Amino acid sequence: MGSLAVRSLVALTFMGGVGAALMCPTWQSIVLELVPRREFRNAVAINPLGINIARSIGSAACDILLGAVGAAASYGVDVAPACSSLRR
């Protein structure tokens, strides 16, 4: 696959950050529609827990992927979901 240039890495990181910045407020605002009002406080409190668990599992999966296919493909898999939210 070749090496990943510094400029490409910075651009991909920027795109991933933009995707996360667009996705997070949207995800947080939908909580009120997903849970009854009486459970809203609990849902808001549990939301970061789910994010942190996903970060842990994602990091472990990325490490396995990194060893199997290399850095460029691993980073591409990491950034792809955030970039896909830009197209919506």
Side-chain angles (χ1 to χ4, degrees):
M1 230 188 187
S3 64
L4 184 64
V6 174
R7 288 183 183 190
S8 298
L9 182 62
V10 170
L12 289 172
T13 303
F14 177 76
M15 288 173 47
V18 169
L22 293 173
M23 185 179 67
C24 288
T26 305
W27 181 254
Q28 290 172 350
S29 68
I30 200 170
V31 171
L32 189 56
E33 295 180 21
L34 296 175
V35 296
R37 188 176 273 302
R38 67 181 183 282
E39 296 176 9
F40 180 69
R41 286 188 188 203
N42 292 333
V44 169
I46 290 175
N47 196 23
L49 178 67
I51 292 170
N52 288 331
I53 289 172
R55 284 181 182 168
S56 300
I57 293 171
S59 295
C62 192
D63 288 343
I64 293 168
L65 189 64
L66 179 64
V69 296
S74 177
Y75 191 78
V77 169
D78 180 46
V79 173
C83 291
S84 69
S85 68
L86 294 174
R87 290 188 272 165
R88 293 182 186 168

